[in-house]
Amino acid sequence: MSTATVNPAGGTSPAPAADACCTPSQGEAILNAGQAEALALRFKALGDPNRLRILSIVSASESAETCVCDLPEPLGLKQPTVSHHLKILVEAGILHREKRGVWAYYSVVPGALESLGASLAAKP
Amino acid sequence: MSTATVNPAGGTSPAPAADACCTPSQGEAILNAGQAEALALRFKALGDPNRLRILSIVSASESAETCVCDLPEPLGLKQPTVSHHLKILVEAGILHREKRGVWAYYSVVPGALESLGASLAAKP
DNA sequence: AATAGGCATCGACGATTGTCGATGTTTTGA
DNA sequence: TCAAAACATCGACAATCGTCGATGCCTATT
């Protein structure tokens, strides 16, 4: 009866025996490391309560943008911390930064959140 | 979580002062700390490449359930690490764990990813 | 009962993260 | 030209995270 259990040694699941826990594998349809890393970067940006609240504030005024000066107060955070979170959201492609004069205005990148949500419903 | 936050219903742009960066605030329509923390917990679970790959494998399985014994090999992780990630995904309400005999089978909670995606499209 | 195997938990380690004070950069106004 | 204000960046610190070896628990088999 050849192999009884699937063991990680190099062999790629020869044949599913009766006492095997389940069907060994299904081809190569899973996320590779690169795709997973890119997706994780964007979800990680959403994995902080204060960043979610920043998004909530910014997206609550969709037509207009939100300037940094209005964020520290409702969040209870200091200005450098807010800038730090904003940078992470920009690098994740979720927020857009536009500086006018002394002030910096942030807005949600159109379709960014929707595309992230779609990648969830489709299959990670 | 029906956050249909449509804030600017009344006055439309009440002519902000020249030296004000923008409209000061819009009441209390943003995510509070508790809601943000709960949402962040679930997004944080998706903020790791290996957990995304685990989700990919589990949701790609025909039988819709995958046993732990098949995960360490394609991920290149040791068994305790895989168990750790699985626990995080279960606590986030994304995966379901069912033990049959010696083996433990994991499956995606129906609608879990879709509801997370929906919370994205409908403003965090 | 004793053994073997699958999986969860524990303890530890380096790496990453969130926060803040201090400082730098840029623009506006006097 | 200088001063003030808004925002970004830097450096530091505690906390959390990802990973793994060792170990324990549970189940099925002998």
Side-chain angles (χ1 to χ4, degrees):
Chain A
M1 301 302 185
S2 56
T3 59
T5 54
V6 181
N7 221 7
T12 315
S13 60
D19 57 343
C21 54
C22 53
T23 51
S25 67
Q26 67 291 329
E28 188 71 21
I30 73 169
L31 251 60
N32 61 26
Q35 297 170 332
E37 192 103 28
L39 245 188
L41 191 92
R42 305 165 69 187
F43 281 122
K44 205 180 301 182
L46 299 175
D48 181 85
N50 288 320
R51 284 197 289 270
L52 287 179
R53 299 181 75 189
I54 288 178
L55 273 183
S56 169
I57 295 176
V58 173
S59 64
S61 55
E62 187 161 348
S63 53
E65 312 100 324
T66 306
C67 93
V68 188
C69 63
D70 280 341
L71 290 176
E73 184 173 329
L75 295 173
L77 296 176
K78 300 299 180 183
Q79 177 262 325
T81 305
V82 172
S83 265
H84 170 70
H85 287 313
L86 288 170
K87 182 176 183 180
I88 291 180
L89 287 170
V90 167
E91 286 175 344
I94 297 175
L95 283 189
H96 169 74
R97 175 180 183 268
E98 179 186 350
K99 188 160 189 187
R100 284 205 302 269
V102 196
W103 297 292
Y105 295 85
Y106 285 85
S107 57
V108 179
V109 170
L113 294 178
E114 288 78 359
S115 88
L116 250 186
S119 75
L120 266 188
K123 147 176 127 173
Chain B
M1 303 64 144
S2 59
T3 53
T5 56
V6 186
N7 47 335
T12 308
S13 62
D19 58 341
C21 55
C22 51
T23 51
S25 65
Q26 67 284 337
E28 190 70 21
I30 72 169
L31 250 62
N32 61 26
Q35 298 170 333
E37 191 106 26
L39 244 188
L41 191 93
R42 304 166 68 188
F43 281 122
K44 204 180 302 181
L46 298 175
D48 181 86
N50 288 320
R51 285 198 286 270
L52 287 179
R53 299 182 75 190
I54 288 178
L55 272 183
S56 170
I57 294 178
V58 171
S59 64
S61 160
E62 293 185 19
S63 55
E65 53 184 10
T66 308
C67 94
V68 187
C69 64
D70 281 340
L71 289 176
E73 185 174 328
L75 295 172
L77 297 176
K78 300 299 179 183
Q79 177 264 324
T81 305
V82 172
S83 266
H84 171 69
H85 288 313
L86 289 170
K87 183 178 183 178
I88 292 180
L89 288 169
V90 166
E91 286 174 346
I94 297 175
L95 283 190
H96 168 75
R97 175 182 182 267
E98 179 186 348
K99 188 159 189 189
R100 285 202 303 268
V102 196
W103 295 292
Y105 294 85
Y106 285 84
S107 57
V108 179
V109 170
L113 295 178
E114 287 80 1
S115 89
L116 250 185
S119 75
L120 267 188
K123 286 179 186 177

